[in-house]
Amino acid sequence: MQKQKLVIASNNSGKLREIGHLLEPLGIEVLPQSAFNVPEADEPYQTFVENALAKARHASAHTNLPSLADDSGICVDALKGKPGILSARYGGEPRSDERNNQKLIDVLKNQSDRRAHYYCVIVLLHHAQDPQPIIVDGTWYGEIALTPRGEGGFGYDPYFFLPDLDKTAAELPMEQKNRISHRGKALAQLVERIREEWV
């Protein structure tokens, strides 16, 4: 049986690995938008869900394939939810995990409240004009550590501390992270919805 192709509106290799790993058992072949030379979509909106929809429609319109986009970021309580939708560009352009993390630590070093959560919303479209996208989301609570720990993950993971596990996200094995992370929770819901509505 031929695999269903699905274009991912991202070129982030960490994200592509995570998503591909979960969707492969459903007979879905995950392809990055870079494989089709799709330019990056604008993300002009103030909410994760609107930006994810814009990215998914953009990728689907350029490829004529079903598309999946996620928009995710880290939201810090003391910063009223920032960096939020600007998480990937928090330290300026070009994007740099190192600069993003440095800016966050600089802003928080005198803060006693360093509670934070990762948030992820995933949008799946049959086609660019799909009026009924599948939308799922997930949240992962923790706090910001001022010193990094761990070699795994990406983004803010070395600074995202999980008090109940006494580890940062970057110290978790990928299997465990995929089960409990914001993206893992959203993808678990997505897999169920795909089983019910697609396969």
Side-chain angles (χ1 to χ4, degrees):
M1 198 170 85
Q2 197 175 10
K3 283 193 167 184
Q4 163 77 63
K5 286 184 163 57
L6 179 66
V7 64
I8 306 288
S10 173
N11 300 317
N12 180 314
S13 58
K15 229 180 251 191
L16 290 163
R17 266 198 314 277
E18 267 178 58
I19 294 169
H21 178 73
L22 283 161
L23 297 188
E24 192 184 24
L26 299 177
I28 294 172
E29 183 185 356
V30 166
L31 300 161
Q33 65 181 12
S34 58
F36 303 92
N37 297 315
V38 177
E40 294 249 325
D42 289 333
E43 298 177 48
Y45 302 107
Q46 296 303 305
T47 64
F48 291 106
V49 69
E50 288 172 294
N51 285 325
L53 265 167
K55 288 191 281 190
R57 290 203 194 284
H58 178 79
S60 195
H62 276 79
T63 60
N64 291 318
L65 285 171
S67 68
L68 181 152
D70 90 314
D71 203 38
S72 54
I74 196 160
C75 303
V76 179
D77 291 19
L79 305 179
K80 297 189 167 78
K82 286 181 178 161
I85 56 159
L86 299 174
S87 293
R89 300 176 177 85
Y90 192 49
E93 295 282 6
R95 299 176 195 192
S96 156
D97 286 351
E98 198 176 326
R99 278 205 313 275
N100 291 340
N101 283 311
Q102 192 55 58
K103 180 173 178 182
L104 187 62
I105 298 316
D106 289 347
V107 172
L108 287 177
K109 62 176 177 253
N110 298 319
Q111 277 284 356
S112 55
D113 178 8
R114 294 201 300 276
R115 287 173 302 160
H117 63 273
Y118 270 127
Y119 177 75
C120 172
V121 62
I122 297 175
V123 170
L124 180 62
L125 297 174
H126 286 89
H127 53 82
Q129 283 81 41
D130 191 346
Q132 199 176 351
I134 292 176
I135 301 175
V136 292
D137 68 354
T139 308
W140 194 18
Y141 293 95
E143 55 193 52
I144 303 300
L146 296 181
T147 48
R149 281 171 33 186
E151 301 298 318
F154 56 93
Y156 297 89
D157 287 356
Y159 293 89
F160 187 68
F161 181 69
L162 306 155
D164 51 336
L165 298 175
D166 193 32
K167 286 184 172 159
T168 68
E171 293 178 292
L172 300 177
M174 189 183 228
E175 290 295 320
Q176 185 180 14
K177 184 189 172 190
N178 284 348
R179 274 199 314 277
I180 65 174
S181 75
H182 54 310
R183 190 171 293 108
K185 290 172 186 171
L187 281 166
Q189 294 174 57
L190 182 72
V191 166
E192 287 310 306
R193 294 282 299 273
I194 288 174
R195 281 206 177 104
E196 288 167 18
E197 299 169 38
W198 270 44
V199 178

PDB file of all heavy atoms in Angstrom, residues 18 74 97 101 104 118 140 143-145 147-162 167-172 177 181-183:
ATOM      1  N   GLU A  18      10.814  13.971  15.512  1.00  0.00           N
ATOM      2  CA  GLU A  18       9.768  13.645  16.486  1.00  0.00           C
ATOM      3  C   GLU A  18       8.455  13.295  15.794  1.00  0.00           C
ATOM      4  O   GLU A  18       7.802  12.306  16.130  1.00  0.00           O
ATOM      5  CB  GLU A  18       9.528  14.851  17.432  1.00  0.00           C
ATOM      6  CG  GLU A  18      10.332  14.799  18.710  1.00  0.00           C
ATOM      7  CD  GLU A  18      10.103  16.028  19.595  1.00  0.00           C
ATOM      8  OE1 GLU A  18       8.949  16.287  19.974  1.00  0.00           O
ATOM      9  OE2 GLU A  18      11.081  16.732  19.904  1.00  0.00           O
ATOM     10  N   ILE A  74       7.766  28.822  24.340  1.00  0.00           N
ATOM     11  CA  ILE A  74       7.828  28.790  25.792  1.00  0.00           C
ATOM     12  C   ILE A  74       7.214  30.081  26.322  1.00  0.00           C
ATOM     13  O   ILE A  74       7.448  31.155  25.774  1.00  0.00           O
ATOM     14  CB  ILE A  74       9.284  28.576  26.269  1.00  0.00           C
ATOM     15  CG1 ILE A  74       9.310  28.150  27.735  1.00  0.00           C
ATOM     16  CG2 ILE A  74      10.159  29.798  26.010  1.00  0.00           C
ATOM     17  CD1 ILE A  74      10.600  27.466  28.144  1.00  0.00           C
ATOM     18  N   ASP A  97      19.452  29.397  19.072  1.00  0.00           N
ATOM     19  CA  ASP A  97      19.070  28.877  20.389  1.00  0.00           C
ATOM     20  C   ASP A  97      19.914  29.521  21.478  1.00  0.00           C
ATOM     21  O   ASP A  97      19.417  29.880  22.548  1.00  0.00           O
ATOM     22  CB  ASP A  97      19.265  27.353  20.444  1.00  0.00           C
ATOM     23  CG  ASP A  97      18.201  26.588  19.651  1.00  0.00           C
ATOM     24  OD1 ASP A  97      17.223  27.220  19.198  1.00  0.00           O
ATOM     25  OD2 ASP A  97      18.353  25.370  19.483  1.00  0.00           O
ATOM     26  N   ASN A 101      18.323  31.698  24.498  1.00  0.00           N
ATOM     27  CA  ASN A 101      18.481  31.269  25.891  1.00  0.00           C
ATOM     28  C   ASN A 101      19.187  32.334  26.729  1.00  0.00           C
ATOM     29  O   ASN A 101      18.791  32.606  27.856  1.00  0.00           O
ATOM     30  CB  ASN A 101      19.252  29.938  25.951  1.00  0.00           C
ATOM     31  CG  ASN A 101      18.377  28.748  25.592  1.00  0.00           C
ATOM     32  OD1 ASN A 101      17.280  28.605  26.116  1.00  0.00           O
ATOM     33  ND2 ASN A 101      18.846  27.901  24.698  1.00  0.00           N
ATOM     34  N   LEU A 104      16.788  35.107  27.596  1.00  0.00           N
ATOM     35  CA  LEU A 104      15.814  34.685  28.608  1.00  0.00           C
ATOM     36  C   LEU A 104      16.442  34.664  29.999  1.00  0.00           C
ATOM     37  O   LEU A 104      15.848  35.150  30.968  1.00  0.00           O
ATOM     38  CB  LEU A 104      15.247  33.303  28.244  1.00  0.00           C
ATOM     39  CG  LEU A 104      14.099  32.818  29.133  1.00  0.00           C
ATOM     40  CD1 LEU A 104      12.897  33.747  29.049  1.00  0.00           C
ATOM     41  CD2 LEU A 104      13.694  31.398  28.765  1.00  0.00           C
ATOM     42  N   TYR A 118       5.863  25.154  28.227  1.00  0.00           N
ATOM     43  CA  TYR A 118       5.898  25.024  26.779  1.00  0.00           C
ATOM     44  C   TYR A 118       4.457  24.818  26.307  1.00  0.00           C
ATOM     45  O   TYR A 118       3.684  24.106  26.957  1.00  0.00           O
ATOM     46  CB  TYR A 118       6.688  23.778  26.379  1.00  0.00           C
ATOM     47  CG  TYR A 118       8.172  23.942  26.169  1.00  0.00           C
ATOM     48  CD1 TYR A 118       9.064  23.115  26.844  1.00  0.00           C
ATOM     49  CD2 TYR A 118       8.686  24.840  25.249  1.00  0.00           C
ATOM     50  CE1 TYR A 118      10.434  23.194  26.618  1.00  0.00           C
ATOM     51  CE2 TYR A 118      10.049  24.936  25.019  1.00  0.00           C
ATOM     52  CZ  TYR A 118      10.916  24.109  25.700  1.00  0.00           C
ATOM     53  OH  TYR A 118      12.268  24.182  25.471  1.00  0.00           O
ATOM     54  N   TRP A 140       3.136  21.819  28.686  1.00  0.00           N
ATOM     55  CA  TRP A 140       4.126  21.121  29.528  1.00  0.00           C
ATOM     56  C   TRP A 140       4.661  22.125  30.537  1.00  0.00           C
ATOM     57  O   TRP A 140       5.282  23.118  30.156  1.00  0.00           O
ATOM     58  CB  TRP A 140       5.242  20.593  28.636  1.00  0.00           C
ATOM     59  CG  TRP A 140       6.168  19.597  29.251  1.00  0.00           C
ATOM     60  CD1 TRP A 140       5.981  18.847  30.362  1.00  0.00           C
ATOM     61  CD2 TRP A 140       7.456  19.218  28.729  1.00  0.00           C
ATOM     62  NE1 TRP A 140       7.064  18.025  30.569  1.00  0.00           N
ATOM     63  CE2 TRP A 140       7.974  18.226  29.588  1.00  0.00           C
ATOM     64  CE3 TRP A 140       8.218  19.622  27.623  1.00  0.00           C
ATOM     65  CZ2 TRP A 140       9.217  17.636  29.381  1.00  0.00           C
ATOM     66  CZ3 TRP A 140       9.444  19.034  27.413  1.00  0.00           C
ATOM     67  CH2 TRP A 140       9.938  18.052  28.280  1.00  0.00           C
ATOM     68  N   GLU A 143       9.851  25.075  35.024  1.00  0.00           N
ATOM     69  CA  GLU A 143      10.382  26.393  35.389  1.00  0.00           C
ATOM     70  C   GLU A 143      11.722  26.592  34.679  1.00  0.00           C
ATOM     71  O   GLU A 143      12.302  25.629  34.166  1.00  0.00           O
ATOM     72  CB  GLU A 143      10.513  26.542  36.904  1.00  0.00           C
ATOM     73  CG  GLU A 143      11.331  25.477  37.571  1.00  0.00           C
ATOM     74  CD  GLU A 143      11.179  25.464  39.094  1.00  0.00           C
ATOM     75  OE1 GLU A 143      10.042  25.429  39.602  1.00  0.00           O
ATOM     76  OE2 GLU A 143      12.224  25.490  39.762  1.00  0.00           O
ATOM     77  N   ILE A 144      12.184  27.819  34.659  1.00  0.00           N
ATOM     78  CA  ILE A 144      13.437  28.124  33.963  1.00  0.00           C
ATOM     79  C   ILE A 144      14.607  28.031  34.942  1.00  0.00           C
ATOM     80  O   ILE A 144      14.624  28.708  35.970  1.00  0.00           O
ATOM     81  CB  ILE A 144      13.399  29.543  33.335  1.00  0.00           C
ATOM     82  CG1 ILE A 144      12.206  29.677  32.382  1.00  0.00           C
ATOM     83  CG2 ILE A 144      14.719  29.842  32.607  1.00  0.00           C
ATOM     84  CD1 ILE A 144      12.188  28.712  31.215  1.00  0.00           C
ATOM     85  N   ALA A 145      15.567  27.164  34.610  1.00  0.00           N
ATOM     86  CA  ALA A 145      16.813  27.069  35.384  1.00  0.00           C
ATOM     87  C   ALA A 145      17.789  28.103  34.833  1.00  0.00           C
ATOM     88  O   ALA A 145      17.763  28.421  33.647  1.00  0.00           O
ATOM     89  CB  ALA A 145      17.393  25.671  35.246  1.00  0.00           C
ATOM     90  N   THR A 147      21.089  27.784  34.902  1.00  0.00           N
ATOM     91  CA  THR A 147      22.260  27.127  34.302  1.00  0.00           C
ATOM     92  C   THR A 147      21.771  25.922  33.504  1.00  0.00           C
ATOM     93  O   THR A 147      20.890  25.187  33.964  1.00  0.00           O
ATOM     94  CB  THR A 147      23.273  26.662  35.370  1.00  0.00           C
ATOM     95  OG1 THR A 147      22.561  25.956  36.388  1.00  0.00           O
ATOM     96  CG2 THR A 147      23.999  27.830  35.980  1.00  0.00           C
ATOM     97  N   PRO A 148      22.354  25.722  32.320  1.00  0.00           N
ATOM     98  CA  PRO A 148      21.872  24.641  31.449  1.00  0.00           C
ATOM     99  C   PRO A 148      22.331  23.271  31.933  1.00  0.00           C
ATOM    100  O   PRO A 148      23.381  23.150  32.561  1.00  0.00           O
ATOM    101  CB  PRO A 148      22.513  24.974  30.098  1.00  0.00           C
ATOM    102  CG  PRO A 148      23.761  25.714  30.440  1.00  0.00           C
ATOM    103  CD  PRO A 148      23.452  26.477  31.698  1.00  0.00           C
ATOM    104  N   ARG A 149      21.501  22.264  31.648  1.00  0.00           N
ATOM    105  CA  ARG A 149      21.854  20.876  31.949  1.00  0.00           C
ATOM    106  C   ARG A 149      21.366  19.987  30.824  1.00  0.00           C
ATOM    107  O   ARG A 149      20.251  20.176  30.335  1.00  0.00           O
ATOM    108  CB  ARG A 149      21.202  20.420  33.263  1.00  0.00           C
ATOM    109  CG  ARG A 149      21.931  20.918  34.492  1.00  0.00           C
ATOM    110  CD  ARG A 149      21.222  20.688  35.808  1.00  0.00           C
ATOM    111  NE  ARG A 149      20.405  19.481  35.917  1.00  0.00           N
ATOM    112  CZ  ARG A 149      19.630  19.232  36.983  1.00  0.00           C
ATOM    113  NH1 ARG A 149      19.577  20.075  37.994  1.00  0.00           N
ATOM    114  NH2 ARG A 149      18.904  18.134  37.040  1.00  0.00           N
ATOM    115  N   GLY A 150      22.183  19.023  30.418  1.00  0.00           N
ATOM    116  CA  GLY A 150      21.756  18.027  29.440  1.00  0.00           C
ATOM    117  C   GLY A 150      22.192  18.350  28.026  1.00  0.00           C
ATOM    118  O   GLY A 150      22.442  19.499  27.681  1.00  0.00           O
ATOM    119  N   GLU A 151      22.276  17.304  27.220  1.00  0.00           N
ATOM    120  CA  GLU A 151      22.767  17.424  25.845  1.00  0.00           C
ATOM    121  C   GLU A 151      21.672  17.219  24.813  1.00  0.00           C
ATOM    122  O   GLU A 151      21.870  17.455  23.635  1.00  0.00           O
ATOM    123  CB  GLU A 151      23.869  16.370  25.596  1.00  0.00           C
ATOM    124  CG  GLU A 151      25.072  16.482  26.515  1.00  0.00           C
ATOM    125  CD  GLU A 151      25.814  17.796  26.357  1.00  0.00           C
ATOM    126  OE1 GLU A 151      25.989  18.244  25.214  1.00  0.00           O
ATOM    127  OE2 GLU A 151      26.197  18.383  27.387  1.00  0.00           O
ATOM    128  N   GLY A 152      20.508  16.719  25.229  1.00  0.00           N
ATOM    129  CA  GLY A 152      19.456  16.370  24.272  1.00  0.00           C
ATOM    130  C   GLY A 152      18.536  17.539  23.971  1.00  0.00           C
ATOM    131  O   GLY A 152      18.746  18.658  24.434  1.00  0.00           O
ATOM    132  N   GLY A 153      17.498  17.234  23.196  1.00  0.00           N
ATOM    133  CA  GLY A 153      16.480  18.242  22.899  1.00  0.00           C
ATOM    134  C   GLY A 153      17.025  19.366  22.041  1.00  0.00           C
ATOM    135  O   GLY A 153      18.076  19.264  21.427  1.00  0.00           O
ATOM    136  N   PHE A 154      16.271  20.464  22.011  1.00  0.00           N
ATOM    137  CA  PHE A 154      16.686  21.639  21.250  1.00  0.00           C
ATOM    138  C   PHE A 154      15.982  22.851  21.852  1.00  0.00           C
ATOM    139  O   PHE A 154      15.192  22.725  22.772  1.00  0.00           O
ATOM    140  CB  PHE A 154      16.372  21.467  19.747  1.00  0.00           C
ATOM    141  CG  PHE A 154      14.932  21.169  19.429  1.00  0.00           C
ATOM    142  CD1 PHE A 154      14.046  22.182  19.122  1.00  0.00           C
ATOM    143  CD2 PHE A 154      14.459  19.869  19.423  1.00  0.00           C
ATOM    144  CE1 PHE A 154      12.716  21.918  18.829  1.00  0.00           C
ATOM    145  CE2 PHE A 154      13.134  19.586  19.127  1.00  0.00           C
ATOM    146  CZ  PHE A 154      12.259  20.620  18.824  1.00  0.00           C
ATOM    147  N   GLY A 155      16.263  24.025  21.320  1.00  0.00           N
ATOM    148  CA  GLY A 155      15.596  25.231  21.818  1.00  0.00           C
ATOM    149  C   GLY A 155      15.958  25.523  23.274  1.00  0.00           C
ATOM    150  O   GLY A 155      17.126  25.537  23.663  1.00  0.00           O
ATOM    151  N   TYR A 156      14.934  25.697  24.081  1.00  0.00           N
ATOM    152  CA  TYR A 156      15.122  26.075  25.488  1.00  0.00           C
ATOM    153  C   TYR A 156      15.283  24.856  26.409  1.00  0.00           C
ATOM    154  O   TYR A 156      15.368  25.009  27.624  1.00  0.00           O
ATOM    155  CB  TYR A 156      13.927  26.922  25.959  1.00  0.00           C
ATOM    156  CG  TYR A 156      13.775  28.224  25.218  1.00  0.00           C
ATOM    157  CD1 TYR A 156      13.024  28.303  24.051  1.00  0.00           C
ATOM    158  CD2 TYR A 156      14.385  29.395  25.674  1.00  0.00           C
ATOM    159  CE1 TYR A 156      12.888  29.503  23.356  1.00  0.00           C
ATOM    160  CE2 TYR A 156      14.256  30.595  24.987  1.00  0.00           C
ATOM    161  CZ  TYR A 156      13.507  30.639  23.831  1.00  0.00           C
ATOM    162  OH  TYR A 156      13.373  31.827  23.144  1.00  0.00           O
ATOM    163  N   ASP A 157      15.322  23.645  25.832  1.00  0.00           N
ATOM    164  CA  ASP A 157      15.305  22.416  26.639  1.00  0.00           C
ATOM    165  C   ASP A 157      16.366  22.356  27.746  1.00  0.00           C
ATOM    166  O   ASP A 157      16.067  21.892  28.845  1.00  0.00           O
ATOM    167  CB  ASP A 157      15.428  21.177  25.743  1.00  0.00           C
ATOM    168  CG  ASP A 157      14.143  20.895  24.968  1.00  0.00           C
ATOM    169  OD1 ASP A 157      13.142  21.608  25.175  1.00  0.00           O
ATOM    170  OD2 ASP A 157      14.152  19.954  24.143  1.00  0.00           O
ATOM    171  N   PRO A 158      17.621  22.798  27.519  1.00  0.00           N
ATOM    172  CA  PRO A 158      18.613  22.688  28.596  1.00  0.00           C
ATOM    173  C   PRO A 158      18.274  23.555  29.814  1.00  0.00           C
ATOM    174  O   PRO A 158      18.814  23.332  30.908  1.00  0.00           O
ATOM    175  CB  PRO A 158      19.916  23.170  27.943  1.00  0.00           C
ATOM    176  CG  PRO A 158      19.692  23.018  26.468  1.00  0.00           C
ATOM    177  CD  PRO A 158      18.229  23.269  26.253  1.00  0.00           C
ATOM    178  N   TYR A 159      17.397  24.542  29.640  1.00  0.00           N
ATOM    179  CA  TYR A 159      17.027  25.456  30.745  1.00  0.00           C
ATOM    180  C   TYR A 159      15.629  25.179  31.283  1.00  0.00           C
ATOM    181  O   TYR A 159      15.208  25.812  32.244  1.00  0.00           O
ATOM    182  CB  TYR A 159      17.088  26.915  30.262  1.00  0.00           C
ATOM    183  CG  TYR A 159      18.488  27.374  29.934  1.00  0.00           C
ATOM    184  CD1 TYR A 159      19.013  27.198  28.664  1.00  0.00           C
ATOM    185  CD2 TYR A 159      19.292  27.981  30.908  1.00  0.00           C
ATOM    186  CE1 TYR A 159      20.308  27.607  28.352  1.00  0.00           C
ATOM    187  CE2 TYR A 159      20.585  28.386  30.606  1.00  0.00           C
ATOM    188  CZ  TYR A 159      21.087  28.201  29.328  1.00  0.00           C
ATOM    189  OH  TYR A 159      22.363  28.597  29.031  1.00  0.00           O
ATOM    190  N   PHE A 160      14.892  24.260  30.632  1.00  0.00           N
ATOM    191  CA  PHE A 160      13.509  23.986  31.055  1.00  0.00           C
ATOM    192  C   PHE A 160      13.535  22.868  32.090  1.00  0.00           C
ATOM    193  O   PHE A 160      13.691  21.693  31.765  1.00  0.00           O
ATOM    194  CB  PHE A 160      12.657  23.608  29.841  1.00  0.00           C
ATOM    195  CG  PHE A 160      11.192  23.472  30.161  1.00  0.00           C
ATOM    196  CD1 PHE A 160      10.438  24.591  30.514  1.00  0.00           C
ATOM    197  CD2 PHE A 160      10.552  22.238  30.097  1.00  0.00           C
ATOM    198  CE1 PHE A 160       9.082  24.477  30.812  1.00  0.00           C
ATOM    199  CE2 PHE A 160       9.198  22.114  30.381  1.00  0.00           C
ATOM    200  CZ  PHE A 160       8.457  23.238  30.741  1.00  0.00           C
ATOM    201  N   PHE A 161      13.412  23.270  33.363  1.00  0.00           N
ATOM    202  CA  PHE A 161      13.588  22.351  34.488  1.00  0.00           C
ATOM    203  C   PHE A 161      12.241  21.794  34.939  1.00  0.00           C
ATOM    204  O   PHE A 161      11.267  22.530  35.070  1.00  0.00           O
ATOM    205  CB  PHE A 161      14.274  23.082  35.652  1.00  0.00           C
ATOM    206  CG  PHE A 161      14.521  22.202  36.849  1.00  0.00           C
ATOM    207  CD1 PHE A 161      15.464  21.175  36.801  1.00  0.00           C
ATOM    208  CD2 PHE A 161      13.803  22.396  38.019  1.00  0.00           C
ATOM    209  CE1 PHE A 161      15.691  20.359  37.910  1.00  0.00           C
ATOM    210  CE2 PHE A 161      14.032  21.591  39.130  1.00  0.00           C
ATOM    211  CZ  PHE A 161      14.968  20.567  39.068  1.00  0.00           C
ATOM    212  N   LEU A 162      12.236  20.478  35.176  1.00  0.00           N
ATOM    213  CA  LEU A 162      11.020  19.766  35.586  1.00  0.00           C
ATOM    214  C   LEU A 162      11.198  19.327  37.035  1.00  0.00           C
ATOM    215  O   LEU A 162      11.876  18.318  37.293  1.00  0.00           O
ATOM    216  CB  LEU A 162      10.814  18.558  34.674  1.00  0.00           C
ATOM    217  CG  LEU A 162      10.803  18.934  33.185  1.00  0.00           C
ATOM    218  CD1 LEU A 162      11.207  17.765  32.315  1.00  0.00           C
ATOM    219  CD2 LEU A 162       9.455  19.506  32.800  1.00  0.00           C
ATOM    220  N   LYS A 167      15.051  17.064  36.566  1.00  0.00           N
ATOM    221  CA  LYS A 167      15.833  17.061  35.337  1.00  0.00           C
ATOM    222  C   LYS A 167      15.353  18.191  34.443  1.00  0.00           C
ATOM    223  O   LYS A 167      14.222  18.664  34.581  1.00  0.00           O
ATOM    224  CB  LYS A 167      15.632  15.732  34.579  1.00  0.00           C
ATOM    225  CG  LYS A 167      16.333  14.559  35.198  1.00  0.00           C
ATOM    226  CD  LYS A 167      16.177  13.317  34.350  1.00  0.00           C
ATOM    227  CE  LYS A 167      17.069  12.218  34.921  1.00  0.00           C
ATOM    228  NZ  LYS A 167      16.659  10.894  34.509  1.00  0.00           N
ATOM    229  N   THR A 168      16.231  18.595  33.522  1.00  0.00           N
ATOM    230  CA  THR A 168      15.777  19.503  32.461  1.00  0.00           C
ATOM    231  C   THR A 168      15.264  18.655  31.302  1.00  0.00           C
ATOM    232  O   THR A 168      15.549  17.444  31.215  1.00  0.00           O
ATOM    233  CB  THR A 168      16.919  20.403  31.943  1.00  0.00           C
ATOM    234  OG1 THR A 168      17.873  19.579  31.258  1.00  0.00           O
ATOM    235  CG2 THR A 168      17.574  21.197  33.061  1.00  0.00           C
ATOM    236  N   ALA A 169      14.541  19.299  30.396  1.00  0.00           N
ATOM    237  CA  ALA A 169      14.032  18.602  29.215  1.00  0.00           C
ATOM    238  C   ALA A 169      15.175  18.011  28.398  1.00  0.00           C
ATOM    239  O   ALA A 169      15.026  16.965  27.765  1.00  0.00           O
ATOM    240  CB  ALA A 169      13.200  19.556  28.364  1.00  0.00           C
ATOM    241  N   ALA A 170      16.339  18.666  28.428  1.00  0.00           N
ATOM    242  CA  ALA A 170      17.493  18.199  27.650  1.00  0.00           C
ATOM    243  C   ALA A 170      18.151  16.962  28.256  1.00  0.00           C
ATOM    244  O   ALA A 170      19.004  16.338  27.636  1.00  0.00           O
ATOM    245  CB  ALA A 170      18.524  19.316  27.515  1.00  0.00           C
ATOM    246  N   GLU A 171      17.771  16.603  29.493  1.00  0.00           N
ATOM    247  CA  GLU A 171      18.335  15.416  30.142  1.00  0.00           C
ATOM    248  C   GLU A 171      17.454  14.178  29.965  1.00  0.00           C
ATOM    249  O   GLU A 171      17.826  13.089  30.388  1.00  0.00           O
ATOM    250  CB  GLU A 171      18.527  15.681  31.641  1.00  0.00           C
ATOM    251  CG  GLU A 171      19.589  16.725  31.939  1.00  0.00           C
ATOM    252  CD  GLU A 171      19.727  16.991  33.428  1.00  0.00           C
ATOM    253  OE1 GLU A 171      18.795  17.555  34.033  1.00  0.00           O
ATOM    254  OE2 GLU A 171      20.772  16.645  33.990  1.00  0.00           O
ATOM    255  N   LEU A 172      16.314  14.332  29.339  1.00  0.00           N
ATOM    256  CA  LEU A 172      15.389  13.206  29.184  1.00  0.00           C
ATOM    257  C   LEU A 172      15.716  12.391  27.931  1.00  0.00           C
ATOM    258  O   LEU A 172      16.047  12.960  26.890  1.00  0.00           O
ATOM    259  CB  LEU A 172      13.950  13.714  29.063  1.00  0.00           C
ATOM    260  CG  LEU A 172      13.385  14.530  30.223  1.00  0.00           C
ATOM    261  CD1 LEU A 172      11.974  14.996  29.890  1.00  0.00           C
ATOM    262  CD2 LEU A 172      13.380  13.711  31.516  1.00  0.00           C
ATOM    263  N   LYS A 177      10.676  12.014  26.641  1.00  0.00           N
ATOM    264  CA  LYS A 177      10.289  13.374  26.255  1.00  0.00           C
ATOM    265  C   LYS A 177       9.070  13.341  25.331  1.00  0.00           C
ATOM    266  O   LYS A 177       8.135  14.121  25.487  1.00  0.00           O
ATOM    267  CB  LYS A 177      11.462  14.095  25.570  1.00  0.00           C
ATOM    268  CG  LYS A 177      11.128  15.541  25.231  1.00  0.00           C
ATOM    269  CD  LYS A 177      12.187  16.208  24.366  1.00  0.00           C
ATOM    270  CE  LYS A 177      11.686  17.563  23.917  1.00  0.00           C
ATOM    271  NZ  LYS A 177      12.508  18.202  22.906  1.00  0.00           N
ATOM    272  N   SER A 181       6.073  15.651  26.753  1.00  0.00           N
ATOM    273  CA  SER A 181       6.238  17.052  26.333  1.00  0.00           C
ATOM    274  C   SER A 181       4.956  17.626  25.756  1.00  0.00           C
ATOM    275  O   SER A 181       4.012  16.905  25.435  1.00  0.00           O
ATOM    276  CB  SER A 181       7.351  17.157  25.275  1.00  0.00           C
ATOM    277  OG  SER A 181       6.875  16.674  24.019  1.00  0.00           O
ATOM    278  N   HIS A 182       4.935  18.953  25.612  1.00  0.00           N
ATOM    279  CA  HIS A 182       3.814  19.662  24.980  1.00  0.00           C
ATOM    280  C   HIS A 182       3.547  19.097  23.593  1.00  0.00           C
ATOM    281  O   HIS A 182       2.407  18.817  23.231  1.00  0.00           O
ATOM    282  CB  HIS A 182       4.127  21.161  24.912  1.00  0.00           C
ATOM    283  CG  HIS A 182       5.431  21.496  24.235  1.00  0.00           C
ATOM    284  ND1 HIS A 182       6.628  20.883  24.556  1.00  0.00           N
ATOM    285  CD2 HIS A 182       5.739  22.362  23.234  1.00  0.00           C
ATOM    286  CE1 HIS A 182       7.603  21.364  23.797  1.00  0.00           C
ATOM    287  NE2 HIS A 182       7.082  22.258  22.976  1.00  0.00           N
ATOM    288  N   ARG A 183       4.610  18.911  22.796  1.00  0.00           N
ATOM    289  CA  ARG A 183       4.434  18.391  21.435  1.00  0.00           C
ATOM    290  C   ARG A 183       4.016  16.929  21.478  1.00  0.00           C
ATOM    291  O   ARG A 183       3.194  16.487  20.695  1.00  0.00           O
ATOM    292  CB  ARG A 183       5.718  18.574  20.619  1.00  0.00           C
ATOM    293  CG  ARG A 183       5.518  18.267  19.135  1.00  0.00           C
ATOM    294  CD  ARG A 183       6.709  18.647  18.275  1.00  0.00           C
ATOM    295  NE  ARG A 183       6.879  20.088  18.234  1.00  0.00           N
ATOM    296  CZ  ARG A 183       7.851  20.744  18.850  1.00  0.00           C
ATOM    297  NH1 ARG A 183       8.766  20.095  19.542  1.00  0.00           N
ATOM    298  NH2 ARG A 183       7.927  22.058  18.775  1.00  0.00           N
TER     299      ARG A 183
END
